């Protein structure tokens, strides 16, 4: 009947004993900051230099918060994911995607630093940020699979697991 429409992962995610990982809470910061930097890049075409500068500061803040998210992600990888599991395999792809996105934003930051005061975001920093947001979307999707489809980071591994 009605219960058959409930996704199979819901009981694991809503378990009252489940503890969300710190990574799940922190990861939103770089996602939002880098996403908004791209929005500011788009708006800079019409809004001027203030939005170019806002995008730059969002990229810097995103890099700082990505460090915290990365540390907690590595912690979850070793303490919450079963060795040789599908969740661990996805986590490696997720980490690679985040690494590529971070490199794209670092490149965007390096190119735009010398163009400070520009009336609109220059072409190459804009393109790198757009690619960074796209890669970040894929990496975020993989993180969602790990967290919700496999309920891997909402619980600890069994005490005897290595």
């Amino acid at each position: 009947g009605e219960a058959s429409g409930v996704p199979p992962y819901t009981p694991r995610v809503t378990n009252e004993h489940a503890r969300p990982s710190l990574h799940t809470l922190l990861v939103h910061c770089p996602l939002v900051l880098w996403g908004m930097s791209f929005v500011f890049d788009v708006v800079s075409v019409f809004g001027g230099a203030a939005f170019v500068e806002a995008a730059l500061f969002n990229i810097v803040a995103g890099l700082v918060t990505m460090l915290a998210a990365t540390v907690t992600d590595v912690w979850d990888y070793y303490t919450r994911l079963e060795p040789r599991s599908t969740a661990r395999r996805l986590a490696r792809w997720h980490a690679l995607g985040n690494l590529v996105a971070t490199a794209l934003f670092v490149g965007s930051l390096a190119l735009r630093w010398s163009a400070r005061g520009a009336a609109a975001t220059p072409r190459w920093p804009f393109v790198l940020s757009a690619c960074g947001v796209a890669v970040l979307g894929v990496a975020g999707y993989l993180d969602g699979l790990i967290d919700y489809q496999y309920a891997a980071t909402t619980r600890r591994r069994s005490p005897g697991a290595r």
Side-chain angles (χ1 to χ4, degrees):
E2 192 174 318
S4 64
V6 176
Y9 59 83
T10 302
R12 289 181 285 185
V13 173
T14 58
N15 180 348
E16 65 188 47
H17 302 293
R19 300 269 191 265
S21 73
L22 186 56
H23 173 73
T24 305
L25 302 174
L26 291 176
V27 74
H28 297 91
C29 296
L31 288 173
V32 169
L33 287 164
W34 284 343
M36 281 307 299
S37 76
F38 180 68
V39 169
F40 289 146
D41 282 343
V42 172
V43 174
S44 75
V45 173
F46 308 104
F51 290 101
V52 176
E53 200 71 5
L56 182 135
F57 285 118
N58 271 270
I59 289 174
V60 171
L63 289 170
V64 171
T65 59
M66 181 53 98
L67 290 174
T70 300
V71 168
T72 58
D73 205 12
V74 169
W75 175 261
D76 285 349
Y77 181 83
Y78 288 108
T79 62
R80 292 178 177 247
L81 302 181
E82 297 288 342
R84 294 175 298 285
S85 65
T86 301
R88 267 216 179 170
R89 183 176 52 81
L90 288 173
R92 287 189 293 272
W93 283 105
H94 163 70
L96 178 63
N98 283 335
L99 182 64
V100 169
T102 301
L104 289 167
F105 280 105
V106 166
S108 177
L109 178 64
L111 290 174
R112 73 176 64 221
W113 195 265
S114 62
R116 291 186 76 179
T121 302
R123 178 181 302 138
W124 283 111
F126 181 87
V127 168
L128 290 175
S129 289
C131 292
V133 167
V135 171
L136 204 58
V138 173
Y141 171 76
L142 293 174
D143 198 24
L145 283 178
I146 296 164
D147 285 350
Y148 298 107
Q149 183 68 30
Y150 296 99
T153 59
T154 56
R155 58 179 162 69
R156 291 217 176 270
R157 289 192 325 213
S158 60
R162 287 190 145 298

